[in-house]
Amino acid sequence: MREEERKSSMAKQPSQQPQDESRRKFLKYSGTAIGGVVVGGVIGGIIGSNMKGGQKEPAAPPSETNTPAVPADRDYNQALMFFSQDQFLTTEAATERIFPQDDLGPGAKELGVAFFIDHQMAGGYGFNSRDYMSPPFYKAEASQGYQLTFKRRELLALGLDALNEYSNEKYKKTYAKMTPEEQDSVLTAFEKDEVNLKGVPASTFFTMLQNLTMEGVYSDPLYGGNKNMEGWRMRNYPGNQMSYTDQIDKEEFIKMEPLSLHDHLQLG
């Protein structure tokens, strides 16, 4: 008796198949089936075509001849964040004279120092974010270091423009287009405060540029300079090693392949 009642009850229930089929169609033709909401465009056009019964040919993959090759050693740190193109070229030329290429290794240009300086000026260091920059301002002693109202990025931009102005006045050329000897003479004039820099000692700009150049040569490549750690290799500096436990007790000089902060990500 109970078996007959169960069969009778099941016969009265509607079949689930049409409902399931309807749900499948809904998922197929809605954004849920492709992981998002359809808002038109290429995907919307394809789905609309399918709903009308049409079929679209799949797009042909791009041919090798039309796809530009991306160099394997492409350096994404070499992108401007602060400098204009002219300012970058001036910085590149000036830093190369401060740290030129020689028999011992590459110069500032090859090491990417201008990119390092550009990135520093785009960040908190360029904005003097950790310095007290509110008035009143007083004339500082030479031993007190940087005590000006200009932010570093403002002073650097002012000095680079002055480099070109002075070069045009004296040599009728921009700084980047002058000979190395002419470039050295201009930098010497700034170092000796022989140039009027609109109320700022020209030597202050030169000293800052000189310090930034050396920082770019020997900083971790993560910050844009010291490309391929060549600045470290010239000094036999090991970089950011995780430990020296295997070498610390040895008396002889040990030359190690340098490691950057980025290398630790690969090793970890």
Side-chain angles (χ1 to χ4, degrees), residues 65-119:
T65 56
N66 295 331
T67 304
V70 178
D73 60 345
R74 190 171 185 176
D75 188 351
Y76 291 95
N77 261 340
Q78 294 195 339
L80 296 183
M81 300 179 182
F82 169 71
F83 286 143
S84 67
Q85 188 67 23
D86 289 339
Q87 289 173 334
F88 173 78
L89 293 175
T90 303
T91 302
E92 197 173 53
T95 56
E96 179 68 17
R97 297 314 306 152
I98 294 172
F99 195 91
Q101 179 182 4
D102 58 18
D103 295 338
L104 298 177
K109 181 177 180 178
E110 186 176 342
L111 291 170
V113 169
F115 287 106
F116 166 83
I117 297 175
D118 170 79
H119 296 179

Side-chain angles (χ1 to χ4, degrees), residues 129-150:
S129 61
R130 296 189 177 184
D131 298 339
Y132 184 79
M133 299 292 291
S134 299
F137 299 101
Y138 301 99
K139 185 176 180 180
E141 299 294 331
S143 60
Q144 292 180 299
Y146 185 84
Q147 297 288 330
L148 298 174
T149 61
F150 289 100

